[in-house]
Amino acid sequence: MKTSPLKEKIYDLTRKIPKGKVATYGQLAKLSGSPNAARAVGAFMRINPDAPQTPCHRVVASDGSLTGYSGVGGVPGKMSMLIKEGVTFKNGKVDLSSSQWQA
DNA sequence: AAAATGACGGTGT
DNA sequence: TACACCGCCATTT
C-alpha cells in the first residue's frame, strides 16, 4: 500500500534497527521527518504485518517501556524476543542507556 | 471535507 | 513511583 508515504519511511527506519538494539517511537518519528509524530508511528506499527521484515518489536516507548504489540505473545513475548537478541532489560524495561539505537 | 481512532510523549497530581 | 489528563501527528472511514 502506498497510500501512506510516512508509513514507508517508518518501516524503512524500523528495518534499519540493528539486532540487539531498540528505537523509541519518538526516535523513528524524528528520523521520519516529524519529531512529534510518535503517535502516528505507533499507528503504523499497529497495522504492520509484524513479520521479521519489519522488526516492530525493536520499537519501544520513550522511557524504554514495551507497549502494544498485536502479535503473538503480546508485549511479554516482545520482551523475551528482545532479551534473546541481546537487548538489556532494566527492571522490566529496556535499558536505553545501553540498548537504544543510535541513528 | 470532517470526525474518529491509535502500539506516544510530556506534565501534573 | 504510579495514575490521569492533555496535546501531538498521520491514517482511515
Side-chain angles (χ1 to χ4, degrees):
Chain A
M1 269 174 104
K2 55 225 280 340
T3 49
S4 344
L6 263 288
K7 173 178 174 300
E8 296 182 35
K9 211 155 197 171
I10 298 299
Y11 277 91
D12 189 48
L13 290 166
T14 306
R15 253 183 275 172
K16 285 165 188 158
I17 302 175
K19 175 173 169 282
K21 294 270 176 168
V22 296
T24 68
Y25 294 96
Q27 180 92 41
L28 295 174
K30 187 179 191 290
L31 295 171
S32 69
S34 298
N36 289 355
R39 208 147 209 195
V41 175
F44 301 138
M45 298 296 113
R46 186 189 160 288
I47 66 179
N48 161 7
D50 131 275
Q53 73 182 2
T54 304
C56 48
H57 60 265
R58 289 182 190 158
V59 186
V60 300
S62 61
D63 61 334
S65 308
L66 277 57
T67 49
Y69 199 64
S70 309
V72 182
V75 174
K78 175 174 168 180
M79 175 173 6
S80 297
M81 152 165 28
L82 286 170
I83 296 170
K84 196 177 178 188
E85 294 202 342
V87 178
T88 50
F89 268 68
K90 202 58 150 188
N91 218 2
K93 297 184 190 308
V94 180
D95 184 15
L96 299 176
S97 308
S98 296
S99 297
Q100 184 170 37
W101 175 44
Q102 296 174 58

